[in-house]
Amino acid sequence: MEPLQRLYDAGAYEPLPLPEELERLYGGPLRLSQQGLYANFVQSIDGVVAIASVPSPGSVISLHSEADRFVMALLRAAAEAVLIGAGTLRDGPGHQWTPEGIDRQRAGAYAELRRRLGLPPQPRLVVLTARGDVDPHHPGFEPGALIVTTELGAERLAGALPGSCEVLVLAGDQRIDVGELLVVLRGGGLGRILSEAGPTVTRQLLAGSLLDELFLTQSPVLIGGERAARPLSGEASLPGHLPGGTRYPAELLSAGRHGSHLFLRYRFAGASSIPPAGGEPSPAGSGQA
Ligand SMILES: NC(=O)c1ccc[n+]([C@@H]2O[C@H](COP(=O)([O-])OP(=O)(O)OC[C@H]3O[C@@H](n4cnc5c(N)ncnc54)[C@H](OP(=O)(O)O)[C@@H]3O)[C@@H](O)[C@H]2O)c1
């Protein structure tokens, strides 16, 4: 693989102790905070991140980009946990959310990075499911996973999951509060968390101003489709899943290029209201007219 070309780096945070091969391919240092929740998405030019009825649509949208798989694997290698929703698990049959699950070729270098960071061999997989509608034999569970669910979901999964898995009940039969989930994960010592969840969970993380950063691969492809006519069965775009009337300002932390793919990294400032016509709203809670 040709290295990524670094176009911009704001220099935020200390560089990780990357093995030489990973730093060369990434086009420079990877800087991450110790504590942070960062999401990784690949999207088409028209903002599509998921395609109904297509298993693992990310690789279709990325045009099977090796550079995109490399960045995904690198982020997994640096993470203490990888968070997904059950929708992503269901659409990734056979997948393992580990560095070598996406890039076997550089497994040794990812393992070396984890050794240098003092991390266990694999990031902890955390799966969020209200209904417990997951295949207990999914290979993603093999290295051990934390399944966060409701009482109903736990009943459905009782006795079915591999012994290496742990079930955590955080709600009765309703959706789990993702803010509470993060408090529990942090309390369990998981500082640096990568979210590879789909639009449904990501929307909740953004709505709660819980997402610190977004690693966004902009793939050089238009997907097309009739999203407006088929909002539940057609393609999903991340903006289409976000609550209306809210904006999420972000700062560019780095930009890279690999062929016609762009690798962008943003830091969010938190959610705010869209200004009404005629001017900016007063800051939330300031009490000013
Ligand atoms: N382009 C990309 O980079 C990218 C990245 C990630 C995912 N994707 C794609 O996105 C698609 C999946 O989208 P998605 O939005 O369905 O995925 P998702 O957000 O990962 O999963 C949604 C599921 O998570 C559970 N969930 C969500 N919020 C919950 C809450 N508050 N409490 C308890 N459980 C909760 C529910 O599972 P139950 O129904 O079991 O209760 C829900 O159906 C897949 O095709 C995937 O490949 C693409």
Side-chain angles (χ1 to χ4, degrees):
M1 182 188 118
E2 284 293 309
L4 273 77
Q5 180 190 358
R6 183 72 57 93
L7 304 173
Y8 175 70
D9 185 351
Y13 312 119
E14 288 298 304
L16 299 189
L18 295 188
E20 191 275 333
E21 179 190 12
L22 300 183
E23 183 152 327
R24 183 179 60 79
L25 289 176
Y26 193 54
L30 170 62
R31 304 167 187 278
L32 286 177
S33 63
Q34 290 275 347
Q35 296 267 334
L37 176 63
Y38 46 100
N40 184 27
F41 268 99
V42 58
Q43 72 169 13
S44 66
I45 295 169
D46 48 342
V48 172
V49 295
I51 309 171
S53 315
V54 173
S56 307
S59 54
V60 174
I61 295 168
S62 80
L63 304 175
H64 304 279
S65 159
E66 186 181 3
D68 184 56
R69 287 201 304 278
F70 163 70
V71 171
M72 209 183 307
L74 182 59
L75 294 177
R76 288 181 187 178
E80 290 171 56
V82 177
L83 168 68
I84 58 171
T88 299
L89 186 91
R90 289 188 286 263
D91 267 12
H95 191 65
Q96 287 196 327
W97 280 264
T98 59
E100 60 269 26
I102 197 82
D103 183 8
R104 190 168 292 281
Q105 204 185 328
R106 283 168 275 271
Y110 300 127
E112 172 60 20
L113 172 60
R114 293 190 70 79
R115 269 194 297 276
R116 292 183 186 184
L117 291 170
L119 296 175
Q122 300 296 353
R124 185 89 163 126
L125 179 67
V126 180
V127 181
L128 188 58
T129 169
R131 296 180 295 140
D133 179 17
V134 296
D135 173 8
H137 306 295
H138 194 294
F141 291 143
E142 275 167 22
L146 175 65
I147 293 91
V148 185
T149 188
T150 60
E151 283 169 14
L152 285 178
E155 271 174 37
R156 184 171 181 169
L157 290 169
L161 290 162
S164 54
C165 290
E166 195 186 330
V167 175
L168 173 68
V169 175
L170 279 190
D173 56 357
Q174 301 293 319
R175 301 218 129 192
I176 289 154
D177 178 340
V178 289
E180 189 187 343
L181 167 67
L182 274 189
V183 169
V184 170
L185 295 182
R186 299 261 188 256
L190 298 171
R192 195 183 284 143
I193 301 172
L194 169 65
S195 173
E196 291 197 28
T200 308
V201 171
T202 306
R203 168 197 170 123
Q204 297 166 62
L205 297 173
L206 280 165
S209 293
L210 298 166
L211 196 60
D212 298 304
E213 292 187 25
L214 173 65
F215 286 78
L216 182 68
T217 302
Q218 181 71 62
S219 183
V221 62
L222 281 164
I223 298 291
E226 297 168 353
R227 288 193 294 281
R230 298 183 286 127
L232 294 177
S233 60
E235 293 81 8
S237 71
L238 189 54
H241 279 249
L242 297 179
T246 310
R247 64 180 184 179
Y248 302 87
E251 175 194 0
L252 184 68
L253 287 190
S254 69
R257 170 181 166 258
H258 191 266
S260 295
H261 286 75
L262 282 176
F263 291 83
L264 307 170
R265 177 181 174 190
Y266 293 102
R267 177 163 58 193
F268 289 108
S272 65
S273 302
I274 290 179
E280 292 281 315
S282 58
S286 71
Q288 293 171 13

